[in-house]
């Protein structure tokens, strides 16, 4: 006797919302990875392996870390490294003259590089990239003015990188 057919078809792979959450997590992890690379001098390959092996879905103090989208994570950090000079120049143009990128908080610098990588080489619409990285800024600076600052700088960078989207 055969098993009855499952009356409710099961979706294959993550749902649309789970995919969105995985992309958001990948962006947060990309900022952390770029920060770590700058602070420690580790190579992109070492940091990518560490994040994909030990951070994605890991449990710390009973809190489970999100599962990140490994493709978006790898592309974002790879593009941030490959296009760093271009991204840093775009960021400098978006910052006030007295605040070149090397003078800003290293977390913000990593954030601008990750977001810049998506603006220069990514497929997501600029407004999505801006919104996502403003949320990342809120995660790192929940009490500060940094999210508004990030929004203004990324808006300027997006208009330069993809003017046709505005």
């Amino acid at each position: 006797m055969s098993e009855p057919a499952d009356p409710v078809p099961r979706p294959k792979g993550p749902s649309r919302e789970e995919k969105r959450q995985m992309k958001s997590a990948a962006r947060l992890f990309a900022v952390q990875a770029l920060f770590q690379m700058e602070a420690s001098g580790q190579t992109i390959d070492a940091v990518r392996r560490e994040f994909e092996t030990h951070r994605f879905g890991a449990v710390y103090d009973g809190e489970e870390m999100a599962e990140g989208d490994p493709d978006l994570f790898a592309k974002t950090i790879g593009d941030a490294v490959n296009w760093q000079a271009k991204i840093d120049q775009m960021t400098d143009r978006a910052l006030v003259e007295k605040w070149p990128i090397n003078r800003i908080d290293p977390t913000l610098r990593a954030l601008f590089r990750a977001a810049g990588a998506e603006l220069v080489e990514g497929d997501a619409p600029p407004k999505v990239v801006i919104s996502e990285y403003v949320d990342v800024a809120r995660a790192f600076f929940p009490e500060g003015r940094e999210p508004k600052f990030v929004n203004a700088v990324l808006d300027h960078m997006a208009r330069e990188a993809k003017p046709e989207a505005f």
Side-chain angles (χ1 to χ4, degrees):
M1 197 154 132
S2 66
E3 301 253 340
D6 191 350
V8 178
R10 302 202 188 275
K12 293 184 179 11
S15 71
R16 191 179 194 125
E17 178 60 19
E18 288 168 331
K19 286 179 184 175
R20 191 193 65 72
Q21 289 174 352
M22 289 173 71
K23 287 183 179 201
S24 294
R27 290 176 170 113
L28 178 76
F29 288 140
V31 172
Q32 291 174 327
L34 292 167
F35 175 90
Q36 184 173 323
M37 286 169 53
E38 182 177 330
S40 69
Q42 288 177 284
T43 66
I44 188 173
D45 292 331
V47 170
R48 191 187 78 246
R49 273 193 310 275
E50 176 189 327
F51 272 77
E52 290 174 353
T53 306
H54 300 296
R55 303 265 182 110
F56 285 27
V59 177
Y60 295 106
D61 299 326
E63 294 287 321
E64 185 174 351
M65 302 298 286
E67 195 62 51
D69 177 325
D71 296 332
L72 179 60
F73 172 77
K75 179 167 177 31
T76 301
I77 63 172
D79 288 344
V81 169
N82 291 337
W83 296 97
Q84 183 174 325
K86 178 179 183 171
I87 293 164
D88 285 357
Q89 289 167 0
M90 283 175 46
T91 306
D92 271 340
R93 286 190 290 275
L95 294 167
V96 183
E97 217 172 274
K98 292 183 169 76
W99 289 99
I101 192 166
N102 63 347
R103 284 191 60 194
I104 65 171
D105 178 277
T107 303
L108 289 175
R109 192 165 43 244
L111 186 151
F112 291 139
R113 287 175 177 157
E118 284 204 64
L119 291 170
V120 170
E121 288 292 312
D123 298 328
K127 290 179 181 180
V128 170
V129 173
I130 293 167
S131 175
E132 286 282 313
Y133 283 98
V134 167
D135 286 347
V136 170
R138 279 192 197 99
F140 285 113
F141 305 99
E143 305 297 319
R145 296 190 323 248
E146 289 86 353
K148 288 181 180 176
F149 174 64
V150 165
N151 187 62
V153 171
L154 292 182
D155 183 69
H156 189 282
M157 291 171 67
R159 287 171 190 278
E160 179 179 332
K162 296 196 172 157
E164 69 282 0
F166 292 91

